[in-house]
Every structure is written in C-alpha cells, then in structure tokens.
Amino acid sequence: HASRSKDRRMAEEEEQFAADATLVAANVPLDEAYTRAALSANCKFNPLVLNSLMESMKAQSHNFSVEAPGCHPTTFTSRIDDVHARVLCQAFATRARFLVKLDLSHNLLTDAGAEQLASGLLSQGADALESLSLKANSIGAVGCEALCQGLRSCPSIRSVDLSRNPLERPGGLIVVEFLKETTNLAELILADTEIDIDVLVAIATALLVGYPTPPKLKVCNIENPRIGTLQEEHTVHFGRMLRVNTHLSEIYLGKHRMRDEGVRQLVSFLVENKTLRVLDLRCNELGVAGAQHIGTLLRDDCQLALLNLTSNRIGEKDNVDGARAIAEALLSNRMLRYLNVDCNELCGEALGFFADAIANNSTLESVALFHNKWDQPSSRKFHEILADQSRILPLRTDFVTSQVDDRIDV
C-alpha cells in the first residue's frame, strides 16, 4: 500500500512538473522554451531544432517549423529519442496550432515517442501542420495508430512520410484507414515499411473506390513491400486504380518483384491514364517482354514525364529487342523528360539504339545509362550527342565522354 501511494505521488508530481513546464513555455520565446524543457529533462540540445526555431523567429511569423533529421552530422550525439520527444511536446504544446512542418526523420523514436508526439503535439490543435516526416525511426503498429489518430486532428496535413519504419501489416492497414478518411493528403510515403500484399491491395482499393470519394493523393511511394506471391495480383489492383484515378501524378513501385506479365497487365490499364507523370519501376524483374510493353505505353499518347527502369533485366544475355522497343517509342514520344535505364545489362548495340533515338528526340532532358556494357560505337554516338550544340535543351546524363586519340572513354 505504501509503495502504491509513493508511485501515485511521484506520478502526480511528474504531471504537475509537465504542466508547469508547459505553462512556462507558453510565455517565452520558442528557442528559450525548448532549451528550458531540455535542461529540465537533462537532455542535450539538438542544434537543428534550435536552428529551425531561430529561423522561424527571424521570419517574424507566428508559424514555425521543426526540422531535425538525425542523419545530419551535427546531431550524431543528440538524436531525438522518446525522452526528447516529450521535451518537444512540453516546449511546443501551447503553440501547436502554429506548427507547420515537423521533420524528425532518422532519429531514435519508438512507439512510445510516437505516442508522445501524437498526444502532446498533433492532438493539441495542430491545425496548420502540413508536413510530418518520421522516416527511418523504429515506430511500429502501436505508434502508427497513435500518429494516425493524432493526424485526424490536423486538417491541413498534406504530406506524411513513415518510410523505413517497421509498420508491417497491422500498421499498414491502420494507415489505409487514415487514408480513407483524409481529404487533403497529397503525399504518402510508405517505402520500406514491411507492409504486405494485403496492405497494397487495400491502398489500391482506397484510391479506387474511396469512402465516399477517393482520396486526392498525388504522390504514393510504396517501394519494397514484402511480396510472398508470384501471382502479381497487386499489380492488377493498382492497374485498375490507375485507369480511372485522375489525382495521382507520381507512383513508386520499386522492388515489387514485378515481372513481364505484371508489366503487361499494368500497361493495359495505364494506356487509359492521362494524368500520371512519374512511373518508378526500379529494381524489379522486367525482361525483354516487359520492355516491349513499356514501349507500347510510350508510343500510345503517353503523358509520363519521368520513367525509372533502373536495375531490371532488359538487356539480359545481350538481348536487344527490349531496348529497341523503348528506343523506337522515343522517336515519337514528346512528353518524356527523364529516362533511367541504368544497370540493365545493355550491350553496345542496345545502347546504340538509345543513342539514335535520343539524337532524334529534342524533348528528352536527362538520361541515365552509365552502368551498362559500353563499346566504342555506342560511346562515339553519345560523344557526338553530348557535343551537339544544336539541341534545343542540353542533354543531362549520369556520365561524361572524353576522346583520347581515336578512343572514346565513358
């Protein structure tokens, strides 16, 4: 009984301390409120938090941002953990309505820290919050649920980045429920979150059907899910969604174990989409047939501005048919601006096809081709293209060429 009384008394003192700290924070400048809260919790100051607050104060605006990614060299000894999350809540809770951006990516937050941020900041009337990035922490389904619940109180939220957190299937489905209810969210990043095919299908369904109307999401990044099937049914679901979705402009489907048949199904739906501008299929298993389907898409009044096919198998065993199909499509395509076919085992002949197409395409601005199998004829063709002063726009590449005697080095 005495032990329980002592624990209750300590809890009450802790709550009173937090209330006092919050009250003090409401009446002092932002940077001072933060430093006082950090000192009281015996935490190191995070220099990026201080810099963000000082910049906001210099702008003489009520609104402020906190940008403190833990990958910055100055924060290696002061990354934000769960205790530090509580410090931020104490310092800014009374001014949460002025918080516009919160970036705590690459830090040491767990579910406990996420719950602190959700209850201590997001749920405190953060009406102006537009961007939340908690990338590369250790937040699971429990913390994800708290965050999504808190974000429901943030009507201005436009961007949410929870990538590289172990959300797994339960956390992914929680995000889907939040996605169904939100109306203003424009960017959702769930790359490397260990979500499975059920979450992928749920996302595609939410973007297709909506409750009652489809979300107005513009950017969707769901790279590197946990795919345990060879049927590629998720590709069909995303294809059906993309056929009718008029809001989505960027989709990232890297590391989906997508093969030629999956690409065929995706392209069959994409030919009807006129709003998608970025299609990222990097690190899949596209072969010659898949590249031919992509060529069909590029020829058929395609509106894509960026296409990323890096790290596939388009030129496997020196096959040039896939490269030829894409190159021929580039001759008539006038919308594509950025093309990445790096790391595709393209032989010299295949690279030559791309060189001939690029030489006759005046709208392509950037090409990535370096990690392929160059020979002298293909090197010479690109050397001439890069030296061509008559192009309307200079071509940017991930390589340079140089001539030594009669040899062209890439």
Side-chain angles (χ1 to χ4, degrees):
H1 178 74
S3 177
R4 285 197 301 270
S5 299
K6 182 179 179 181
D7 292 341
R8 185 166 55 252
R9 187 168 60 255
M10 291 178 63
E12 291 174 354
E13 291 176 355
E14 189 173 329
E15 291 176 3
Q16 184 61 43
F17 171 78
D20 293 343
T22 302
L23 183 63
V24 171
N27 300 305
V28 298
L30 284 168
D31 57 342
E32 187 175 344
Y34 169 66
T35 54
R36 286 187 182 184
L39 285 172
S40 65
N42 198 26
C43 282
K44 288 185 177 180
F45 302 145
N46 185 293
L48 295 185
V49 173
L50 284 172
N51 289 344
S52 297
L53 298 177
M54 293 176 67
E55 289 177 6
S56 299
M57 292 167 62
K58 286 179 182 178
Q60 296 183 342
S61 170
H62 288 299
N63 294 337
F64 70 100
S65 300
V66 176
E67 300 180 52
C71 56
H72 194 278
T74 61
T75 65
F76 284 173
T77 61
S78 58
R79 285 194 175 101
I80 294 174
D81 56 13
D82 296 341
V83 175
H84 211 131
R86 184 183 175 193
V87 169
L88 296 178
C89 293
Q90 290 179 357
F92 309 133
T94 57
R95 307 182 197 185
R97 64 186 183 278
F98 301 121
L99 181 63
V100 175
K101 181 177 181 179
L102 180 61
D103 180 358
L104 302 180
S105 58
H106 299 276
N107 278 292
L108 305 174
L109 296 170
T110 67
D111 287 340
E115 290 175 322
Q116 287 274 359
L117 293 173
S119 61
L121 280 181
L122 304 184
S123 300
Q124 299 298 316
D127 296 341
L129 185 66
E130 298 177 357
S131 176
L132 173 66
S133 177
L134 296 176
K135 173 183 179 180
N137 281 280
S138 299
I139 300 171
V142 174
C144 180
E145 183 173 16
L147 289 170
C148 289
Q149 188 60 40
L151 286 170
R152 289 180 172 89
S153 305
C154 305
S156 300
I157 191 69
R158 299 277 296 169
S159 175
V160 175
D161 184 354
L162 296 176
S163 59
R164 296 177 62 184
N165 281 286
L167 304 184
E168 300 183 337
R169 181 179 182 275
L173 293 176
I174 290 169
V175 175
V176 172
E177 291 303 315
F178 166 69
L179 178 63
K180 292 177 183 178
E181 300 173 17
T182 184
T183 56
N184 293 324
L185 191 66
E187 183 178 53
L188 177 63
I189 304 178
L190 294 177
D192 299 294
T193 53
E194 302 179 22
I195 57 177
D196 64 3
I197 191 169
D198 291 339
V199 178
L200 297 179
V201 173
I203 291 174
T205 304
L207 294 176
L208 173 65
V209 179
Y211 304 86
T213 58
K216 298 178 181 179
L217 201 66
K218 295 183 180 299
V219 179
C220 182
N221 188 331
I222 43 176
E223 292 183 330
N224 195 24
R226 296 296 180 261
I227 302 294
T229 175
L230 299 178
Q231 300 302 315
E232 299 185 87
E233 54 263 38
H234 60 291
T235 305
V236 178
H237 285 276
F238 274 100
R240 290 173 178 169
M241 178 271 294
L242 288 169
R243 178 172 59 182
V244 298
N245 188 295
T246 58
H247 299 293
L248 206 60
S249 61
E250 300 181 21
I251 190 163
Y252 298 84
L253 301 174
K255 300 182 182 180
H256 273 236
R257 300 182 66 183
M258 197 179 301
R259 301 170 185 80
D260 294 340
E261 177 59 20
V263 175
R264 183 193 68 78
Q265 295 176 2
L266 188 64
V267 167
S268 69
F269 295 110
L270 275 176
V271 291
E272 300 182 41
N273 183 298
K274 304 304 177 186
T275 57
L276 192 67
R277 296 294 180 266
V278 175
L279 177 61
D280 192 320
L281 299 177
R282 69 184 182 93
C283 302
N284 278 291
E285 300 175 22
L286 279 68
V288 173
Q292 291 172 331
H293 296 312
I294 293 293
T296 300
L297 175 64
L298 293 176
R299 282 195 304 269
D300 193 11
D301 192 26
C302 176
Q303 301 298 303
L304 289 178
L306 185 151
L307 177 61
N308 188 354
L309 299 175
T310 187
S311 299
N312 280 284
R313 302 186 292 109
I314 296 173
E316 192 175 47
K317 297 181 180 179
D318 291 343
N319 193 312
V320 300
D321 293 339
R324 182 190 288 116
I326 295 177
E328 290 176 353
L330 291 177
L331 294 173
S332 58
N333 185 288
R334 290 296 177 266
M335 291 298 296
L336 197 66
R337 298 290 182 267
Y338 308 94
L339 175 65
N340 190 336
V341 284
D342 204 10
C343 300
N344 269 283
E345 304 179 52
L346 299 175
C347 63
E349 184 180 359
L351 292 168
F353 287 134
F354 277 109
D356 294 338
I358 292 169
N360 292 281
N361 184 312
S362 59
T363 56
L364 203 59
E365 300 175 13
S366 177
V367 176
L369 284 164
F370 178 64
H371 294 96
N372 287 294
K373 297 183 286 187
W374 292 84
D375 61 6
Q376 279 301 293
S378 59
S379 300
R380 188 168 297 279
K381 286 183 178 181
F382 273 99
H383 183 67
E384 294 171 357
I385 292 172
L386 294 177
D388 184 7
Q389 299 295 322
S390 64
R391 288 184 66 91
I392 298 175
L393 294 172
L395 182 68
R396 298 195 300 272
T397 62
D398 63 338
F399 60 89
V400 295
T401 60
S402 60
Q403 182 171 2
V404 180
D405 296 331
D406 291 332
R407 178 179 176 81
I408 304 295
D409 291 324
V410 176

